[in-house]
Amino acid sequence: MMNHPHSSHIGTTNVKEEIGKLDRIRISGIGLIAYAFMAVLLIIAISTKTLPNTMIGAIFALVLMGHVFYYLGAHLPIFRSYLGGGSVFTILLTAILVATNVMPKYVVTTASGFINGMDFLGLYIVSLIASSLFKMDRKMLLKAAVRFLPVAFISMALTAVVIGIVGIIIGVGFNYAILYIAMPIMAGGVGAGIVPLSGIYAHAMGVGSAGILSKLFPTVILGNLLAIISAGLISRIFKDSKGNGHGEILRGEREEAAAAEEIKPDYVQLGVGLIIAVMFFMIGTMLNKVFPGINAYAFIILSIVLTKAFGLLPKYYEDSVIMFGQVIVKNMTHALLAGVGLSLLDMHVLLAALSWQFVVLCLVSIVAISLISATLGKLFGLYPVEAAITAGLANNSMGGTGNVAVLAASERMNLIAFAQMGNRIGGALILVVAGILVTFMK
């Protein structure tokens, strides 16, 4: 029986073609074959406890998990269309892996240490804020900020009233609904939100803050999750609406914004952008030490807005910051979402607090702030969809990480400065108001 000399060559060619087809499937720029190899390496490292408890170990784990989970969520029909897509899927799946003990505790510690302890979150947010603000036209930035802040603050105030009224209707009372739903859900997250809020309540009530914090935490978790899902839904439902600015917040300015030139990356300027972004973070941090009652991010945003408004930074440096911000966003957003699920979303705490009244009040908060901010946004000259997401849903999120997830779900990462503006300044106002109200409502 004769052998065909080219038969083995054909077989080899077919294998190469199949491998080529698989490798053309890209997960955040990485071919499937290369991704599978790295994923196996990660699984071995986790199971043998050889994943380093360092920045390197955290980046390797979070980037690989974040990218693949986001990819799956973005392609699963129900999640893609109704549940916030890859953002919600990534956060939920990583949180479930922790809750079911599939993910070892030491990996959670490594992830939390990188996101919170080493404050990668701070670097991510300040890079994104600086990038988005310097990319905007100066006049457009000032016009948008002046209109945005009243929308955010009025929306929060009216939403709190609505939550209180519904609290009366469903039998939990106006005071409970305000103190344990409205205030914590809009306080600006955990570290800058419910932690000081629990201290305020504890001082006024003469009890320990730990017990109060355990009551406030589930509200932040569920509010954050619902805000992310809602942001994805709003952006998809109103995709073709005239009220959708497709990432531009100020009505009538889309043409001008679209004309902005695309900046090509430069290796040296990327490093320049890093240090300029960090400089603004340091300015905000130092001012916060002088005026501790004002959140550091409020100072960061204010310093960048003033720098942009008065043209203090040459275009070379502005472009550098924009470049670096884009590199961070395009490569580390999914990793940050995985970190949120691993270290901040406690499924056990959330499930333990799920009474029907609690869920109803959290849903009311989401619906009310979305409708109110969209309506006010239109009156103030903003696109309703963008107003609902940034002035509304971002103020029901878990601070900086929540803002990132809300904007990622709605594909509006460029609006992080506005989300942070409302969330941080509005959160500080909530703490002041809560300090006054708790003396009458306790």
Side-chain angles (χ1 to χ4, degrees), residues 148 151-152 155 227-238 243-249 366 369-375 377 382-397 402-416 418-420 422-423:
F148 171 82
V151 173
S155 297
I228 299 167
I229 294 171
S230 301
L233 275 174
I234 287 172
S235 65
R236 284 162 179 76
I237 292 171
F238 298 99
N244 190 336
H246 300 283
E248 300 300 329
I249 196 165
I366 292 291
I369 205 164
S370 298
L371 292 174
I372 293 168
S373 57
T375 304
L382 306 178
Y383 281 104
V385 169
E386 276 66 24
I389 291 168
T390 55
L393 295 171
N395 287 321
N396 269 29
S397 74
N403 288 342
V404 171
V406 165
L407 297 177
S410 58
E411 298 178 351
R412 282 164 173 79
M413 293 297 289
N414 62 302
L415 298 179
I416 185 69
F418 292 99
Q420 283 288 94
N423 194 280

Short mmCIF file of all heavy atoms in Angstrom, two decimals, residues 148 151-152 155 227-238 243-249 366 369-375 377 382-397 402-416 418-420 422-423:
data_model
loop_
_atom_site.label_atom_id
_atom_site.label_comp_id
_atom_site.label_asym_id
_atom_site.label_seq_id
_atom_site.Cartn_x
_atom_site.Cartn_y
_atom_site.Cartn_z
N PHE A 148 -24.40 70.58 35.38
CA PHE A 148 -24.45 69.22 35.93
C PHE A 148 -24.69 69.20 37.43
O PHE A 148 -25.51 68.43 37.93
CB PHE A 148 -23.15 68.49 35.59
CG PHE A 148 -23.01 67.17 36.28
CD1 PHE A 148 -23.63 66.03 35.76
CD2 PHE A 148 -22.28 67.03 37.45
CE1 PHE A 148 -23.52 64.80 36.40
CE2 PHE A 148 -22.15 65.82 38.10
CZ PHE A 148 -22.77 64.70 37.56
N VAL A 151 -28.21 69.59 38.79
CA VAL A 151 -29.01 68.40 38.44
C VAL A 151 -28.73 67.28 39.44
O VAL A 151 -29.65 66.63 39.95
CB VAL A 151 -28.71 67.94 37.00
CG1 VAL A 151 -29.40 66.60 36.71
CG2 VAL A 151 -29.16 68.99 35.99
N ALA A 152 -27.45 67.05 39.73
CA ALA A 152 -27.06 65.96 40.64
C ALA A 152 -27.60 66.20 42.05
O ALA A 152 -28.20 65.31 42.66
CB ALA A 152 -25.54 65.83 40.67
N SER A 155 -31.51 66.15 42.26
CA SER A 155 -31.97 64.76 42.06
C SER A 155 -31.82 63.95 43.33
O SER A 155 -32.71 63.18 43.71
CB SER A 155 -31.17 64.10 40.93
OG SER A 155 -31.38 64.75 39.71
N ALA A 227 -27.65 49.85 40.24
CA ALA A 227 -27.23 51.00 39.43
C ALA A 227 -26.46 50.55 38.20
O ALA A 227 -26.65 51.11 37.10
CB ALA A 227 -26.37 51.94 40.28
N ILE A 228 -25.60 49.55 38.35
CA ILE A 228 -24.82 49.04 37.21
C ILE A 228 -25.75 48.43 36.17
O ILE A 228 -25.64 48.71 34.97
CB ILE A 228 -23.79 48.00 37.69
CG1 ILE A 228 -22.81 48.63 38.67
CG2 ILE A 228 -23.03 47.42 36.50
CD1 ILE A 228 -21.97 47.61 39.44
N ILE A 229 -26.67 47.58 36.63
CA ILE A 229 -27.62 46.94 35.72
C ILE A 229 -28.47 47.99 35.01
O ILE A 229 -28.67 47.93 33.79
CB ILE A 229 -28.53 45.95 36.48
CG1 ILE A 229 -27.70 44.78 37.02
CG2 ILE A 229 -29.66 45.43 35.59
CD1 ILE A 229 -28.45 43.87 37.98
N SER A 230 -28.95 48.97 35.76
CA SER A 230 -29.81 50.02 35.20
C SER A 230 -29.07 50.87 34.17
O SER A 230 -29.64 51.27 33.15
CB SER A 230 -30.35 50.92 36.31
OG SER A 230 -31.09 50.17 37.24
N ALA A 231 -27.80 51.16 34.44
CA ALA A 231 -27.01 51.96 33.49
C ALA A 231 -26.90 51.24 32.15
O ALA A 231 -27.03 51.86 31.08
CB ALA A 231 -25.63 52.24 34.06
N GLY A 232 -26.65 49.93 32.21
CA GLY A 232 -26.57 49.15 30.98
C GLY A 232 -27.90 49.11 30.25
O GLY A 232 -27.96 49.25 29.01
N LEU A 233 -28.99 48.96 31.01
CA LEU A 233 -30.33 48.92 30.41
C LEU A 233 -30.69 50.25 29.74
O LEU A 233 -31.17 50.28 28.60
CB LEU A 233 -31.38 48.60 31.48
CG LEU A 233 -31.62 47.13 31.80
CD1 LEU A 233 -32.57 47.00 32.98
CD2 LEU A 233 -32.17 46.39 30.59
N ILE A 234 -30.46 51.36 30.45
CA ILE A 234 -30.81 52.68 29.92
C ILE A 234 -30.05 52.96 28.63
O ILE A 234 -30.62 53.45 27.64
CB ILE A 234 -30.52 53.78 30.97
CG1 ILE A 234 -31.55 53.71 32.09
CG2 ILE A 234 -30.54 55.17 30.34
CD1 ILE A 234 -31.25 54.62 33.27
N SER A 235 -28.76 52.65 28.61
CA SER A 235 -27.96 52.93 27.41
C SER A 235 -28.42 52.11 26.22
O SER A 235 -28.31 52.55 25.07
CB SER A 235 -26.49 52.68 27.69
OG SER A 235 -26.25 51.30 27.94
N ARG A 236 -28.96 50.90 26.49
CA ARG A 236 -29.42 50.05 25.38
C ARG A 236 -30.85 50.38 24.95
O ARG A 236 -31.15 50.45 23.77
CB ARG A 236 -29.31 48.58 25.79
CG ARG A 236 -27.88 48.07 25.77
CD ARG A 236 -27.71 46.79 26.58
NE ARG A 236 -26.35 46.29 26.54
CZ ARG A 236 -25.34 46.81 27.24
NH1 ARG A 236 -25.55 47.84 28.03
NH2 ARG A 236 -24.13 46.30 27.15
N ILE A 237 -31.73 50.59 25.93
CA ILE A 237 -33.13 50.88 25.60
C ILE A 237 -33.26 52.19 24.82
O ILE A 237 -34.05 52.29 23.88
CB ILE A 237 -33.98 50.94 26.90
CG1 ILE A 237 -34.08 49.54 27.52
CG2 ILE A 237 -35.38 51.48 26.61
CD1 ILE A 237 -34.72 49.53 28.91
N PHE A 238 -32.46 53.19 25.22
CA PHE A 238 -32.55 54.50 24.58
C PHE A 238 -31.40 54.74 23.60
O PHE A 238 -30.96 55.88 23.40
CB PHE A 238 -32.58 55.60 25.65
CG PHE A 238 -33.77 55.51 26.56
CD1 PHE A 238 -33.65 54.93 27.82
CD2 PHE A 238 -35.02 55.96 26.15
CE1 PHE A 238 -34.74 54.84 28.68
CE2 PHE A 238 -36.12 55.86 26.99
CZ PHE A 238 -35.99 55.30 28.25
N GLY A 243 -32.58 61.76 23.09
CA GLY A 243 -32.06 62.13 24.40
C GLY A 243 -30.76 61.44 24.75
O GLY A 243 -30.25 61.59 25.85
N ASN A 244 -30.22 60.66 23.82
CA ASN A 244 -28.97 59.94 24.04
C ASN A 244 -27.82 60.73 23.41
O ASN A 244 -27.79 60.93 22.19
CB ASN A 244 -29.05 58.55 23.42
CG ASN A 244 -27.88 57.66 23.82
OD1 ASN A 244 -26.81 58.14 24.17
ND2 ASN A 244 -28.09 56.36 23.74
N GLY A 245 -26.88 61.17 24.24
CA GLY A 245 -25.74 61.92 23.72
C GLY A 245 -24.59 61.04 23.29
O GLY A 245 -23.57 61.53 22.82
N HIS A 246 -24.74 59.72 23.45
CA HIS A 246 -23.70 58.75 23.06
C HIS A 246 -22.34 59.13 23.64
O HIS A 246 -21.32 59.09 22.97
CB HIS A 246 -23.63 58.61 21.54
CG HIS A 246 -24.90 58.14 20.92
ND1 HIS A 246 -25.31 56.82 20.96
CD2 HIS A 246 -25.90 58.82 20.29
CE1 HIS A 246 -26.49 56.71 20.36
NE2 HIS A 246 -26.87 57.90 19.95
N GLY A 247 -22.36 59.51 24.92
CA GLY A 247 -21.11 59.83 25.61
C GLY A 247 -20.85 61.31 25.78
O GLY A 247 -19.98 61.71 26.55
N GLU A 248 -21.61 62.17 25.08
CA GLU A 248 -21.49 63.62 25.25
C GLU A 248 -22.60 64.08 26.18
O GLU A 248 -23.76 63.76 25.98
CB GLU A 248 -21.60 64.35 23.90
CG GLU A 248 -20.53 63.97 22.90
CD GLU A 248 -19.14 64.25 23.40
OE1 GLU A 248 -18.97 65.22 24.17
OE2 GLU A 248 -18.21 63.51 23.03
N ILE A 249 -22.25 64.84 27.21
CA ILE A 249 -23.24 65.19 28.23
C ILE A 249 -24.00 66.47 27.90
O ILE A 249 -25.16 66.63 28.28
CB ILE A 249 -22.55 65.32 29.61
CG1 ILE A 249 -23.61 65.29 30.72
CG2 ILE A 249 -21.65 66.56 29.70
CD1 ILE A 249 -23.04 65.06 32.09
N ILE A 366 -33.36 53.69 42.77
CA ILE A 366 -32.81 53.62 41.41
C ILE A 366 -33.74 54.26 40.39
O ILE A 366 -33.33 55.08 39.56
CB ILE A 366 -32.54 52.15 41.03
CG1 ILE A 366 -31.40 51.57 41.88
CG2 ILE A 366 -32.23 52.01 39.54
CD1 ILE A 366 -30.04 52.13 41.59
N ILE A 369 -34.22 58.26 41.09
CA ILE A 369 -33.09 59.12 40.75
C ILE A 369 -32.82 59.11 39.24
O ILE A 369 -32.35 60.12 38.69
CB ILE A 369 -31.82 58.72 41.55
CG1 ILE A 369 -30.87 59.93 41.66
CG2 ILE A 369 -31.11 57.52 40.94
CD1 ILE A 369 -29.82 59.78 42.72
N SER A 370 -33.13 58.01 38.57
CA SER A 370 -32.96 57.95 37.10
C SER A 370 -33.95 58.89 36.41
O SER A 370 -33.56 59.69 35.54
CB SER A 370 -33.17 56.52 36.59
OG SER A 370 -32.21 55.65 37.14
N LEU A 371 -35.23 58.80 36.80
CA LEU A 371 -36.26 59.63 36.18
C LEU A 371 -36.07 61.12 36.49
O LEU A 371 -36.17 61.98 35.61
CB LEU A 371 -37.64 59.17 36.64
CG LEU A 371 -38.11 57.80 36.16
CD1 LEU A 371 -39.43 57.42 36.82
CD2 LEU A 371 -38.25 57.77 34.64
N ILE A 372 -35.76 61.40 37.76
CA ILE A 372 -35.61 62.80 38.17
C ILE A 372 -34.40 63.44 37.51
O ILE A 372 -34.48 64.56 36.98
CB ILE A 372 -35.52 62.90 39.71
CG1 ILE A 372 -36.84 62.50 40.36
CG2 ILE A 372 -35.14 64.32 40.14
CD1 ILE A 372 -36.76 62.29 41.86
N SER A 373 -33.27 62.75 37.51
CA SER A 373 -32.05 63.32 36.92
C SER A 373 -32.18 63.46 35.40
O SER A 373 -31.67 64.44 34.83
CB SER A 373 -30.83 62.47 37.28
OG SER A 373 -31.00 61.14 36.85
N ALA A 374 -32.87 62.53 34.76
CA ALA A 374 -33.07 62.63 33.31
C ALA A 374 -33.95 63.84 32.98
O ALA A 374 -33.66 64.60 32.04
CB ALA A 374 -33.71 61.35 32.78
N THR A 375 -35.01 64.03 33.75
CA THR A 375 -35.93 65.16 33.53
C THR A 375 -35.22 66.49 33.80
O THR A 375 -35.29 67.42 32.99
CB THR A 375 -37.16 65.04 34.45
OG1 THR A 375 -37.79 63.77 34.23
CG2 THR A 375 -38.14 66.16 34.17
N GLY A 377 -32.02 66.98 33.86
CA GLY A 377 -30.94 67.11 32.89
C GLY A 377 -31.42 67.76 31.59
O GLY A 377 -30.76 68.65 31.04
N LEU A 382 -28.79 69.22 29.37
CA LEU A 382 -27.96 68.02 29.27
C LEU A 382 -28.73 66.93 28.53
O LEU A 382 -29.96 66.96 28.46
CB LEU A 382 -27.58 67.50 30.66
CG LEU A 382 -26.91 68.49 31.62
CD1 LEU A 382 -26.67 67.81 32.96
CD2 LEU A 382 -25.61 69.03 31.04
N TYR A 383 -28.01 65.97 27.99
CA TYR A 383 -28.69 64.82 27.40
C TYR A 383 -29.28 63.98 28.53
O TYR A 383 -28.57 63.62 29.48
CB TYR A 383 -27.71 63.97 26.58
CG TYR A 383 -27.41 64.54 25.22
CD1 TYR A 383 -26.20 65.18 24.97
CD2 TYR A 383 -28.33 64.44 24.19
CE1 TYR A 383 -25.92 65.70 23.71
CE2 TYR A 383 -28.06 64.95 22.93
CZ TYR A 383 -26.85 65.59 22.69
OH TYR A 383 -26.58 66.10 21.45
N PRO A 384 -30.58 63.65 28.47
CA PRO A 384 -31.23 62.90 29.55
C PRO A 384 -30.57 61.57 29.89
O PRO A 384 -30.47 61.22 31.07
CB PRO A 384 -32.66 62.69 29.02
CG PRO A 384 -32.88 63.84 28.10
CD PRO A 384 -31.56 64.09 27.44
N VAL A 385 -30.13 60.83 28.88
CA VAL A 385 -29.51 59.52 29.14
C VAL A 385 -28.22 59.70 29.94
O VAL A 385 -27.99 59.02 30.95
CB VAL A 385 -29.22 58.77 27.82
CG1 VAL A 385 -28.34 57.54 28.08
CG2 VAL A 385 -30.53 58.34 27.16
N GLU A 386 -27.38 60.64 29.51
CA GLU A 386 -26.12 60.90 30.21
C GLU A 386 -26.37 61.46 31.61
O GLU A 386 -25.66 61.13 32.57
CB GLU A 386 -25.25 61.86 29.41
CG GLU A 386 -24.41 61.21 28.32
CD GLU A 386 -25.24 60.60 27.19
OE1 GLU A 386 -26.39 61.04 26.98
OE2 GLU A 386 -24.75 59.69 26.51
N ALA A 387 -27.39 62.30 31.74
CA ALA A 387 -27.73 62.87 33.05
C ALA A 387 -28.20 61.76 34.00
O ALA A 387 -27.82 61.73 35.18
CB ALA A 387 -28.81 63.93 32.90
N ALA A 388 -29.03 60.85 33.48
CA ALA A 388 -29.54 59.75 34.32
C ALA A 388 -28.41 58.86 34.81
O ALA A 388 -28.43 58.39 35.96
CB ALA A 388 -30.55 58.92 33.52
N ILE A 389 -27.41 58.65 33.97
CA ILE A 389 -26.30 57.77 34.33
C ILE A 389 -25.32 58.45 35.28
O ILE A 389 -24.93 57.88 36.30
CB ILE A 389 -25.57 57.27 33.06
CG1 ILE A 389 -26.49 56.32 32.28
CG2 ILE A 389 -24.26 56.57 33.42
CD1 ILE A 389 -26.01 55.99 30.89
N THR A 390 -24.93 59.69 34.99
CA THR A 390 -23.89 60.36 35.78
C THR A 390 -24.43 61.11 36.99
O THR A 390 -23.88 61.00 38.09
CB THR A 390 -23.08 61.33 34.90
OG1 THR A 390 -23.99 62.26 34.27
CG2 THR A 390 -22.31 60.60 33.83
N ALA A 391 -25.49 61.89 36.80
CA ALA A 391 -26.06 62.65 37.91
C ALA A 391 -27.02 61.80 38.73
O ALA A 391 -27.35 62.14 39.87
CB ALA A 391 -26.80 63.89 37.39
N GLY A 392 -27.46 60.68 38.16
CA GLY A 392 -28.41 59.81 38.84
C GLY A 392 -27.79 58.53 39.36
O GLY A 392 -27.46 58.42 40.54
N LEU A 393 -27.57 57.57 38.48
CA LEU A 393 -27.14 56.24 38.90
C LEU A 393 -25.77 56.22 39.55
O LEU A 393 -25.51 55.43 40.46
CB LEU A 393 -27.17 55.29 37.69
CG LEU A 393 -28.56 55.04 37.12
CD1 LEU A 393 -28.49 54.28 35.81
CD2 LEU A 393 -29.43 54.29 38.13
N ALA A 394 -24.86 57.10 39.11
CA ALA A 394 -23.54 57.16 39.73
C ALA A 394 -23.64 57.56 41.20
O ALA A 394 -22.77 57.20 42.01
CB ALA A 394 -22.63 58.13 38.98
N ASN A 395 -24.69 58.28 41.55
CA ASN A 395 -24.89 58.69 42.95
C ASN A 395 -25.57 57.61 43.78
O ASN A 395 -25.84 57.81 44.97
CB ASN A 395 -25.69 60.00 43.00
CG ASN A 395 -24.86 61.18 42.57
OD1 ASN A 395 -23.69 61.25 42.90
ND2 ASN A 395 -25.45 62.10 41.83
N ASN A 396 -25.88 56.48 43.16
CA ASN A 396 -26.39 55.32 43.89
C ASN A 396 -25.37 54.19 43.87
O ASN A 396 -25.70 53.04 44.15
CB ASN A 396 -27.70 54.82 43.25
CG ASN A 396 -28.91 55.46 43.88
OD1 ASN A 396 -28.85 56.58 44.37
ND2 ASN A 396 -30.03 54.76 43.87
N SER A 397 -24.13 54.54 43.54
CA SER A 397 -23.10 53.51 43.38
C SER A 397 -22.13 53.50 44.55
O SER A 397 -22.17 54.36 45.41
CB SER A 397 -22.33 53.72 42.07
OG SER A 397 -21.46 54.83 42.19
N GLY A 402 -17.74 51.86 42.09
CA GLY A 402 -19.11 51.81 41.56
C GLY A 402 -19.26 52.67 40.33
O GLY A 402 -19.90 52.28 39.35
N ASN A 403 -18.66 53.86 40.36
CA ASN A 403 -18.72 54.75 39.20
C ASN A 403 -18.10 54.10 37.97
O ASN A 403 -18.63 54.19 36.86
CB ASN A 403 -17.99 56.06 39.49
CG ASN A 403 -18.74 56.94 40.46
OD1 ASN A 403 -19.94 56.76 40.67
ND2 ASN A 403 -18.06 57.88 41.07
N VAL A 404 -16.95 53.46 38.17
CA VAL A 404 -16.28 52.78 37.07
C VAL A 404 -17.19 51.70 36.48
O VAL A 404 -17.35 51.57 35.27
CB VAL A 404 -14.95 52.16 37.53
CG1 VAL A 404 -14.36 51.26 36.45
CG2 VAL A 404 -13.95 53.25 37.89
N ALA A 405 -17.82 50.91 37.36
CA ALA A 405 -18.69 49.82 36.90
C ALA A 405 -19.93 50.36 36.19
O ALA A 405 -20.35 49.82 35.16
CB ALA A 405 -19.09 48.94 38.08
N VAL A 406 -20.54 51.42 36.73
CA VAL A 406 -21.72 52.03 36.12
C VAL A 406 -21.39 52.55 34.72
O VAL A 406 -22.13 52.32 33.75
CB VAL A 406 -22.26 53.19 37.00
CG1 VAL A 406 -23.24 54.07 36.21
CG2 VAL A 406 -22.96 52.63 38.23
N LEU A 407 -20.27 53.24 34.59
CA LEU A 407 -19.89 53.80 33.30
C LEU A 407 -19.41 52.74 32.33
O LEU A 407 -19.61 52.85 31.12
CB LEU A 407 -18.80 54.87 33.50
CG LEU A 407 -19.24 56.09 34.32
CD1 LEU A 407 -18.08 57.05 34.51
CD2 LEU A 407 -20.40 56.81 33.66
N ALA A 408 -18.77 51.68 32.84
CA ALA A 408 -18.36 50.58 31.97
C ALA A 408 -19.58 49.87 31.40
O ALA A 408 -19.61 49.51 30.22
CB ALA A 408 -17.48 49.60 32.75
N ALA A 409 -20.59 49.66 32.24
CA ALA A 409 -21.82 48.99 31.78
C ALA A 409 -22.55 49.79 30.71
O ALA A 409 -23.19 49.22 29.83
CB ALA A 409 -22.75 48.73 32.97
N SER A 410 -22.45 51.13 30.80
CA SER A 410 -23.15 51.99 29.84
C SER A 410 -22.23 52.49 28.73
O SER A 410 -22.64 53.27 27.88
CB SER A 410 -23.77 53.19 30.57
OG SER A 410 -22.76 53.92 31.26
N GLU A 411 -20.94 52.04 28.77
CA GLU A 411 -19.94 52.42 27.76
C GLU A 411 -19.76 53.94 27.69
O GLU A 411 -19.75 54.54 26.62
CB GLU A 411 -20.30 51.84 26.38
CG GLU A 411 -20.34 50.32 26.38
CD GLU A 411 -20.74 49.74 25.04
OE1 GLU A 411 -21.16 50.51 24.15
OE2 GLU A 411 -20.62 48.50 24.88
N ARG A 412 -19.59 54.54 28.86
CA ARG A 412 -19.41 56.00 28.95
C ARG A 412 -18.29 56.34 29.93
O ARG A 412 -18.43 57.22 30.78
CB ARG A 412 -20.73 56.67 29.37
CG ARG A 412 -21.71 56.79 28.22
CD ARG A 412 -23.11 57.07 28.69
NE ARG A 412 -24.00 57.35 27.57
CZ ARG A 412 -24.53 56.42 26.79
NH1 ARG A 412 -24.25 55.14 26.99
NH2 ARG A 412 -25.33 56.75 25.79
N MET A 413 -17.17 55.67 29.79
CA MET A 413 -16.06 55.86 30.70
C MET A 413 -15.51 57.28 30.66
O MET A 413 -14.92 57.76 31.63
CB MET A 413 -14.94 54.87 30.39
CG MET A 413 -15.31 53.43 30.66
SD MET A 413 -15.67 53.10 32.40
CE MET A 413 -14.04 53.23 33.08
N ASN A 414 -15.71 57.97 29.55
CA ASN A 414 -15.20 59.34 29.42
C ASN A 414 -15.91 60.33 30.35
O ASN A 414 -15.44 61.45 30.54
CB ASN A 414 -15.34 59.83 27.98
CG ASN A 414 -16.80 59.88 27.53
OD1 ASN A 414 -17.49 58.87 27.56
ND2 ASN A 414 -17.27 61.04 27.13
N LEU A 415 -17.02 59.91 30.96
CA LEU A 415 -17.77 60.80 31.84
C LEU A 415 -17.44 60.59 33.32
O LEU A 415 -18.19 61.03 34.18
CB LEU A 415 -19.28 60.60 31.61
CG LEU A 415 -19.80 60.93 30.20
CD1 LEU A 415 -21.30 60.65 30.10
CD2 LEU A 415 -19.50 62.38 29.84
N ILE A 416 -16.32 59.94 33.61
CA ILE A 416 -15.96 59.64 34.99
C ILE A 416 -15.83 60.90 35.84
O ILE A 416 -16.16 60.90 37.02
CB ILE A 416 -14.64 58.82 35.04
CG1 ILE A 416 -14.30 58.38 36.48
CG2 ILE A 416 -13.48 59.60 34.45
CD1 ILE A 416 -15.22 57.36 37.05
N PHE A 418 -17.56 63.65 35.75
CA PHE A 418 -18.88 64.11 36.19
C PHE A 418 -19.45 63.15 37.23
O PHE A 418 -20.05 63.59 38.22
CB PHE A 418 -19.82 64.23 34.99
CG PHE A 418 -19.44 65.34 34.06
CD1 PHE A 418 -18.73 65.07 32.90
CD2 PHE A 418 -19.74 66.66 34.35
CE1 PHE A 418 -18.35 66.09 32.05
CE2 PHE A 418 -19.36 67.69 33.51
CZ PHE A 418 -18.67 67.41 32.34
N ALA A 419 -19.26 61.84 37.01
CA ALA A 419 -19.74 60.86 37.98
C ALA A 419 -19.07 61.09 39.34
O ALA A 419 -19.73 61.08 40.38
CB ALA A 419 -19.47 59.45 37.48
N GLN A 420 -17.76 61.31 39.32
CA GLN A 420 -17.03 61.54 40.56
C GLN A 420 -17.42 62.87 41.21
O GLN A 420 -17.50 62.99 42.43
CB GLN A 420 -15.52 61.53 40.28
CG GLN A 420 -14.94 60.15 40.09
CD GLN A 420 -14.86 59.39 41.41
OE1 GLN A 420 -15.75 58.64 41.77
NE2 GLN A 420 -13.78 59.58 42.14
N GLY A 422 -20.36 64.47 41.11
CA GLY A 422 -21.63 64.34 41.81
C GLY A 422 -21.52 63.42 43.01
O GLY A 422 -22.04 63.71 44.09
N ASN A 423 -20.79 62.31 42.84
CA ASN A 423 -20.69 61.30 43.88
C ASN A 423 -19.92 61.80 45.09
O ASN A 423 -20.34 61.60 46.23
CB ASN A 423 -20.01 60.06 43.29
CG ASN A 423 -20.15 58.84 44.16
OD1 ASN A 423 -19.43 58.70 45.13
ND2 ASN A 423 -21.08 57.96 43.82
#
